[in-house]
């Protein structure tokens, strides 16, 4: 699951990103409305978490701009504005849901899951013989549920989001380990090796592209 967090309070944004990462989400951060519009139009996100108060375009303007541009990604507004009128304005601007600050992280997670359930076709990804149930965080291969660690699941999901395309090691480190630098010379390689072991006879699905990164194949080479 790929989530865009639009929040100019860095502490709040990184806290949300950390919690979502622990839940298996892949996150990107934006601190301004203009950046949010560009990013949301450039990348296919599953959810946008959008703060109302931003330093340039406010959340309402961002929401309206995205909807005018044809973006159908679910948008959840995050704001301290709790009055009914403000909530109505957010929904009229195109938001799918509204969470008032301060909020409990469990409520935010529940609302994210709720909008995802309402998104047609979101729940499952089918990649050849591999099926990923993103709502249940379950991976099924040939009718068998794979026993994956949280990191292995996130790594597989990151590859699956860009199936048949090469994903650079730096991107995997950023999305799965939240770092740009490899703290161990073979950190990614070790986890890829473990994933292949669990894929068994379908280990060919994870392809090494020397000097570039890794690719998840849907069809045998």
């Amino acid at each position: 699951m790929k989530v865009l967090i639009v929040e100019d309070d860095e502490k709040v944004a990184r806290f949300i990103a950390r919690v979502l990462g622990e839940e298996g989400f892949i996150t990107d951060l934006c601190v301004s409305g203009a950046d949010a519009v560009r990013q949301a139009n450039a990348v296919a996100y599953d959810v946008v978490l959008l703060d109302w108060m931003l330093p340039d375009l406010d959340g309402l303007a961002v929401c309206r701009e995205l909807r005018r541009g044809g973006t159908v990604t679910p948008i959840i507004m995050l704001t301290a504005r709790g009055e009914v009128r403000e909530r109505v304005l957010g929904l009229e601007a195109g938001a799918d849901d509204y969470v008032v600050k301060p909020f409990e992280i469990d409520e935010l997670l529940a609302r994210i899951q709720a909008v995802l359930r309402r998104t047609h076709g979101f729940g499952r990804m089918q990649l050849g013989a591999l099926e990923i149930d993103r709502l249940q965080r379950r991976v099924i291969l040939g009718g068998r549920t794979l026993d994956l660690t949280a990191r292995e699941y996130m790594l597989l999901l990151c590859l699956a989001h860009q199936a048949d395309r090469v994903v650079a090691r730096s991107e995997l480190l950023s999305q799965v380990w939240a770092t740009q630098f490899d703290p161990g010379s073979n950190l990614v390689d070790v986890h890829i090796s473990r994933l292949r072991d669990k894929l068994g006879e379908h280990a060919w699905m994870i392809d090494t592209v020397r000097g570039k990164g890794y690719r998840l194949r849907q069809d045998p080479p």
Side-chain angles (χ1 to χ4, degrees), residues 122-142:
F122 171 82
R124 294 176 183 269
M125 295 177 69
Q126 190 73 45
L127 303 160
L130 190 71
E131 181 182 336
I132 302 176
D133 184 337
R134 290 183 282 186
L135 292 178
Q136 298 298 322
R137 298 179 64 192
R138 187 172 57 154
V139 178
I140 303 167
L141 181 61

Side-chain angles (χ1 to χ4, degrees), residues 175-195:
Q175 298 291 357
V176 180
W177 285 273
T179 181
Q180 297 294 331
F181 304 98
D182 194 341
S185 60
N186 62 347
L187 179 64
V188 176
D189 307 274
V190 167
H191 282 76
I192 289 289
S193 178
R194 290 173 181 168
L195 260 181

Side-chain angles (χ1 to χ4, degrees), residues 46 88 221:
D46 296 300
V88 171

Side-chain angles (χ1 to χ4, degrees), residues 21-204:
E22 292 171 353
E23 293 293 320
F25 292 85
I26 296 169
T27 60
D28 288 334
L29 305 180
C30 282
V31 297
S32 74
D35 285 345
V37 172
R38 284 192 292 269
Q39 187 74 6
N41 284 326
V43 178
Y45 290 99
D46 296 300
V47 180
V48 175
L49 301 181
L50 178 60
D51 186 34
W52 186 308
M53 301 299 293
L54 295 169
D56 50 357
L57 296 175
D58 66 20
L60 286 180
V62 171
C63 197
R64 292 188 185 108
E65 182 67 22
L66 291 177
R67 295 309 188 213
R68 276 197 297 267
T71 297
V72 296
T73 303
I75 297 173
I76 299 177
M77 297 284 291
L78 307 177
T79 178
R81 297 172 179 262
E83 297 298 324
V84 172
R85 179 55 185 160
E86 277 74 21
R87 297 189 187 196
V88 171
L89 285 174
L91 295 172
E92 288 179 342
D96 295 88
D97 204 350
Y98 197 105
V99 179
V100 179
K101 297 179 180 179
F103 52 81
E104 294 291 335
I105 196 66
D106 287 344
E107 178 190 2
L108 179 60
L109 289 171
R111 288 180 181 271
I112 291 173
Q113 295 288 5
V115 297
L116 290 177
R117 283 194 296 270
R118 296 197 297 266
T119 303
H120 177 69
F122 171 82
R124 294 176 183 269
M125 295 177 69
Q126 190 73 45
L127 303 160
L130 190 71
E131 181 182 336
I132 302 176
D133 184 337
R134 290 183 282 186
L135 292 178
Q136 298 298 322
R137 298 179 64 192
R138 187 172 57 154
V139 178
I140 303 167
L141 181 61
R144 175 175 61 94
T145 299
L146 301 184
D147 183 16
L148 303 182
T149 67
R151 293 284 189 202
E152 290 165 353
Y153 174 80
M154 291 170 65
L155 182 58
L156 181 63
L157 195 60
C158 191
L159 293 170
H161 271 292
Q162 302 187 62
D164 296 319
R165 295 174 56 193
V166 178
V167 184
R169 292 168 60 90
S170 59
E171 183 174 350
L172 293 174
L173 285 166
S174 174
Q175 298 291 357
V176 180
W177 285 273
T179 181
Q180 297 294 331
F181 304 98
D182 194 341
S185 60
N186 62 347
L187 179 64
V188 176
D189 307 274
V190 167
H191 282 76
I192 289 289
S193 178
R194 290 173 181 168
L195 260 181
R196 285 181 173 141
D197 287 343
K198 293 182 178 182
L199 291 174
E201 64 181 16
H202 289 84
W204 55 263

